[in-house]
Amino acid sequence: VQLQASGGGLVQAGGSLRLSCSASGRTFSDYDMGWFRQAPGKEREFVSVIKWSGGSTFYADSVKGRFTISGDNAKSTVYLQMNSLKPEDTAVYYCAAGRSLRIVSTEKNYDYWGQGTQVTVSS
């Protein structure tokens, strides 16, 4: 699976961005699709995941209520709508794919990663 993340940019606090992650190479719906982020000087952390089996979604507490993950199976694309952005959301955002994930927040459980897209939120 090849993943291509896009949609990052510079936005003021309180603003919104929508990230996209397009997948190719294998059947998209076989994989759970997640988003992680890594801020400067910090470890990469889990943001959100959508499980194609059943459509369940999960979020880190830090983004719950502000971010929404969704997917379009026909386009093999997963989206991360980010609202009410805060300066602490500044990071490189990565999309990732894994099969039948039991623990969605652990990055080592994901098999494929995109290249990352920079999100910068100014105060």
Side-chain angles (χ1 to χ4, degrees), residues 21 28 74 100:
C21 177
F28 186 61
S100 302

Side-chain angles (χ1 to χ4, degrees), residues 22-100:
S22 59
S24 61
R26 290 200 178 183
T27 303
F28 186 61
S29 58
D30 287 345
Y31 292 86
D32 299 332
M33 298 295 297
W35 287 96
F36 286 74
R37 67 186 182 185
Q38 187 168 21
K42 295 186 178 181
E43 294 186 352
R44 191 154 54 183
E45 64 176 4
F46 169 77
V47 175
S48 183
V49 68
I50 183 167
K51 298 180 70 64
W52 290 118
S53 177
S56 300
T57 58
F58 300 91
Y59 299 91
D61 288 343
S62 59
V63 306
K64 202 171 293 183
R66 300 187 297 123
F67 291 11
T68 302
I69 192 170
S70 62
D72 186 332
N73 195 21
K75 295 182 179 180
S76 297
T77 301
V78 63
Y79 305 98
L80 185 69
Q81 178 67 44
M82 307 186 295
N83 298 329
S84 302
L85 283 162
K86 304 175 181 180
E88 50 263 45
D89 294 319
T90 295
V92 177
Y93 284 70
Y94 299 89
C95 59
R99 299 194 69 164
S100 302

